[in-house]
Amino acid sequence: MATPLERYVSETNSVNAAMISYVANLEQVQAVCPDVAARIVRELETQRAHLKLIASENYCSLAVQAAMGNLLTDKYAEGYPEHRYYGGCENIDAIEAEAAREAMQLFGAEHAYVQPHSGADANLVAFWAILSHRIELPELTALGIKSAADLTDAQWQHLRTKLGNQKLLGLDYYSGGHLTHGYRLNVSAKMFESHSYTVDRETGLLDYDAIEKQAMAIRPLILLAGYSAYPRKINFRRFREIADMCGAVLMVDMAHFAGLVAGKVFTDEYDPVKWADIVTTTTHKTLRGPRGALILCKSEFADAVNKGCPMVLGGPLNHIIAAKAVAFKEAGSEAYRRYAAAVQKNAAALAAACIKRGMTLQTGGTDNHLLLIDVTTYGLTGKQAEAALFQCGVTLNANALPFDKNGPWWTSGIRVGTPGVTTLGMDENDMEEIAAIIDIVLRGTTPGTTKDGAPAKGKFILDEQAAREGRERVKRLLANHVLYPELDMAFLKQAFMQ
């Protein structure tokens, strides 16, 4: 019996290298675990059928995907280039060094560390690097210790008490900050005496004067800027001034907007690499690379950051690092800069179209890749809106708004992002259509009730006509913007899902 690859080549006489390599890859998987191969194809089908509006998701290139599927995953490489705990790492060293060079060139950074597996891991490495760097001072000499790595638990406790300044000041979770920025249930709040700044209640914007006043009163070790749900740019020069005034290390988590920095959309005071001591980011959001993370820092923090493994991380994921190198190379192109500019333009167009339809947006608009829509004006919670839209082919997420009365689970808002649809080639006219689809579905959704007839925060009733119209319009929109058009879905389904 002919294999899927043999059948494809025979039936199509194709020279489509992307499709041939994709089929060959799936054929290897199918030979061992057919269900996994089928689910991979099913996920492609699902993603082709839904508008991806989750602000933290994107589509990486097939080249980035190909870089992840190889024998690099088989090699242990704890340490960093030229400083490994295992032998035989010369090729891994070369790949990791290449990824770091590409990252430094892309962002204009003094040092890059490409090993973190996730944004949370990157933040942990950065936190410990700052702690280690700060205590490799006269306090160590007094104890006769050459390196923070040599400290005993008792000596760590002594230094924590002696320094008395392990304080973290970051954006409040409910104001758009991330769990790892000092949220009370996250380890970041266990490592530090955690403090939070918020957005202004009236405008929803950061108040730099208020942050300065708070920072001067707290005098944190780390002043942390960045967000996961804040629809505006941040003035990092102003944060640098505040950090210098209060004696803090300035750390920025740019996971959400790194692609806008790489694409030269955010420059000057809006470029965190120019102003911060340490910058962390994921590589899979606006940056459009593999799922993973990156740390950029001033050279004075390089040695401490390089010790992320073994201090925090386990063995590097070498195949992911290879994919990061490919993604960083892609992000240095003119085509990528056009994409990054389009992400911002599309977000602004989508915000304007939503406002035109009567929607209430947090801060009244957006400067970046995301917007927050208050769905209480439709009589809904964020969870109800998220679920109703997904039924109509729109994927996004419920999101708390600042000072949200519905709390972080049910929420009063939804978060909408443009990176994914921009990668598909959609433009500002398409954003008008997306706003119309969102409005049609939400207007056709009403809250459900509990068993005793009270309003339910999670249940909803979706009008059939609104649902039908929403699905049809999503289908028409996606028909003009096909995900990975090189891939023949009909053949993949026939070969791997039967």
Side-chain angles (χ1 to χ4, degrees):
M1 177 180 286
T3 67
L5 180 59
E6 291 169 340
R7 294 206 326 267
Y8 178 74
V9 174
S10 173
E11 294 171 10
T12 65
N13 195 29
S14 175
V15 292
N16 181 345
M19 182 63 179
I20 290 171
S21 63
Y22 209 82
V23 172
N25 177 285
L26 286 172
E27 185 179 288
Q28 297 297 314
V29 177
Q30 185 186 52
V32 178
C33 196
D35 288 346
V36 170
R39 282 295 173 182
I40 292 171
V41 176
R42 178 75 71 189
E43 180 61 20
L44 174 60
E45 182 181 43
T46 297
Q47 292 203 28
R48 276 191 173 182
H50 287 78
L51 278 173
K52 180 180 281 194
L53 296 176
I54 294 179
S56 55
E57 292 187 5
N58 210 329
Y59 305 106
C60 65
S61 70
L62 292 176
V64 167
Q65 292 182 29
M68 289 185 268
N70 56 67
L71 81 172
L72 295 176
T73 189
D74 296 334
K75 189 74 186 82
Y76 266 117
E78 278 93 335
Y80 53 95
E82 310 301 331
H83 295 82
R84 303 290 186 182
Y85 292 92
Y86 285 81
C89 289
E90 62 274 12
N91 295 312
I92 305 303
D93 282 355
I95 290 170
E96 185 172 333
E98 173 71 9
R101 282 194 301 271
E102 290 290 345
M104 286 187 286
Q105 180 175 336
L106 179 64
F107 291 103
E110 294 178 10
H111 182 72
Y113 183 65
V114 298
Q115 290 188 20
H117 314 324
S118 69
D121 286 350
N123 285 346
L124 272 177
V125 172
F127 291 152
W128 281 112
I130 292 168
L131 285 168
S132 297
H133 177 72
R134 272 298 176 94
I135 61 176
E136 288 175 352
L137 294 169
E139 286 82 2
L140 284 180
T141 303
L143 292 171
I145 303 295
K146 294 181 179 180
S147 168
D150 299 327
L151 291 171
T152 65
D153 289 344
Q155 288 168 331
W156 269 107
Q157 179 60 44
H158 169 76
L159 285 173
R160 281 194 293 268
T161 301
K162 183 178 178 61
L163 290 174
N165 194 31
Q166 273 71 55
K167 297 176 182 176
L168 171 69
L169 177 58
L171 181 61
D172 178 56
Y173 175 69
Y174 301 98
S175 293
H178 191 257
L179 294 171
T180 56
H181 297 181
Y183 182 61
R184 61 186 178 83
L185 298 180
N186 186 263
V187 70
S188 55
K190 314 299 181 186
M191 292 172 63
F192 299 95
E193 180 184 312
S194 180
H195 299 264
S196 298
Y197 54 90
T198 66
V199 294
D200 182 82
R201 280 185 175 272
E202 297 297 323
T203 66
L205 300 172
L206 293 174
D207 182 336
Y208 297 102
D209 291 338
I211 295 169
E212 177 187 312
K213 183 177 180 181
Q214 189 176 3
M216 292 302 292
I218 295 169
R219 294 194 176 272
L221 171 66
I222 301 173
L223 177 59
L224 177 55
Y227 53 79
S228 64
Y230 179 70
R232 296 294 179 178
K233 295 186 289 188
I234 292 179
N235 187 323
F236 297 106
R237 179 168 58 187
R238 186 73 176 90
F239 264 100
R240 176 76 266 168
E241 293 171 354
I242 296 170
D244 289 342
M245 290 174 66
C246 68
V249 173
L250 178 58
M251 175 177 162
V252 174
D253 180 344
M254 67 170 184
H256 260 271
F257 54 93
L260 302 183
V261 178
K264 312 309 177 189
V265 176
F266 287 176
T267 58
D268 300 324
E269 65 263 39
Y270 305 113
D271 177 358
V273 181
K274 183 176 181 179
W275 303 100
D277 298 299
I278 292 187
V279 177
T280 63
T281 182
T282 53
T283 50
H284 52 271
K285 297 185 177 76
T286 50
L287 196 49
R288 207 163 62 176
R291 187 162 295 278
L294 166 71
I295 299 175
L296 305 166
C297 66
K298 302 298 185 187
S299 56
E300 66 177 291
F301 289 91
D303 287 344
V305 167
N306 281 344
K307 295 181 175 68
C309 173
M311 180 172 279
V312 174
L313 302 177
L317 305 179
N318 307 308
H319 57 306
I320 305 298
I321 291 173
K324 290 175 186 178
V326 174
F328 298 153
K329 191 76 171 181
E330 291 176 342
S333 68
E334 183 58 38
Y336 184 90
R337 286 190 283 274
R338 290 194 297 271
Y339 149 78
V343 168
Q344 186 187 48
K345 290 178 181 177
N346 281 345
L350 181 57
C354 288
I355 291 171
K356 185 170 67 176
R357 286 167 175 78
M359 300 184 208
T360 301
L361 270 58
Q362 181 69 16
T363 76
T366 180
D367 294 328
N368 52 30
H369 64 295
L370 66 86
L371 46 146
L372 298 172
I373 302 173
D374 185 344
V375 296
T376 61
T377 58
Y378 291 94
L380 304 171
T381 64
K383 283 292 183 184
Q384 290 166 332
E386 173 192 302
L389 284 161
F390 186 74
Q391 284 192 16
C392 299
V394 179
T395 307
L396 45 71
N397 63 279
N399 208 98
L401 303 179
F403 318 106
D404 201 319
K405 294 181 180 179
N406 281 325
W409 177 252
W410 300 114
T411 83
S412 296
I414 53 175
R415 186 182 65 170
V416 184
T418 57
V421 292
T422 303
T423 295
L424 292 182
M426 295 189 192
D427 60 19
E428 293 161 272
N429 291 328
D430 297 313
M431 298 306 107
E432 288 277 351
E433 179 66 2
I434 290 174
I437 293 168
I438 292 172
D439 188 49
I440 288 166
V441 175
L442 295 186
R443 287 185 185 279
T445 304
T446 54
T449 57
T450 62
K451 292 181 180 180
D452 59 5
K457 290 187 175 182
K459 297 179 180 179
F460 64 93
I461 301 168
L462 179 57
D463 177 75
E464 291 184 9
Q465 183 176 347
R468 185 164 50 252
E469 183 177 358
R471 293 187 194 108
E472 289 174 353
R473 293 177 76 155
V474 166
K475 186 175 181 180
R476 286 199 299 270
L477 187 57
L478 289 174
N480 295 321
H481 302 281
V482 179
L483 173 64
Y484 304 127
E486 310 95 319
L487 304 182
D488 183 338
M489 177 59 74
F491 181 87
L492 292 173
K493 290 177 67 174
Q494 186 274 329
F496 299 104
M497 291 176 60
Q498 299 299 317

